[in-house]
Amino acid sequence: MQKFKEKFEAIKGNLVLSGFDTERDLKLAIKALDRLCYGMAGESLFDINLFLEKYRREAAKE
């Protein structure tokens, strides 16, 4: 948790989205991330950690 908190604070809580061709694409991506966050807010931390495990393994390889 501390590593995540440090990384999150290092970017001042902002999520950087790049690589979108149009402003509309960017807005759609932000809405999708917003829906994801709302969905995750209703889940247990165990289920969220289980879902994120695949991404942790990939990140550890890099």
Side-chain angles (χ1 to χ4, degrees), residues 35-49:
R35 285 192 304 273
L36 175 66
C37 290
Y38 276 110
M40 289 176 68
E43 298 296 326
S44 71
L45 289 178
F46 176 80
D47 289 339
I48 292 170
N49 281 327

Side-chain angles (χ1 to χ4, degrees), residues 16-27 29:
V16 177
L17 298 174
S18 61
F20 295 94
D21 293 336
T22 66
E23 187 70 23
R24 182 178 181 276
D25 289 344
L26 181 59
K27 286 179 182 178

Side-chain angles (χ1 to χ4, degrees), residues 5 10 16 23 28 31 33 35 46 50 52-53 59 62:
K5 185 178 177 188
V16 177
E23 187 70 23
L28 288 173
K31 283 183 180 181
L33 287 170
R35 285 192 304 273
F46 176 80
L50 192 62
L52 294 175
E53 183 59 33
E62 294 176 7

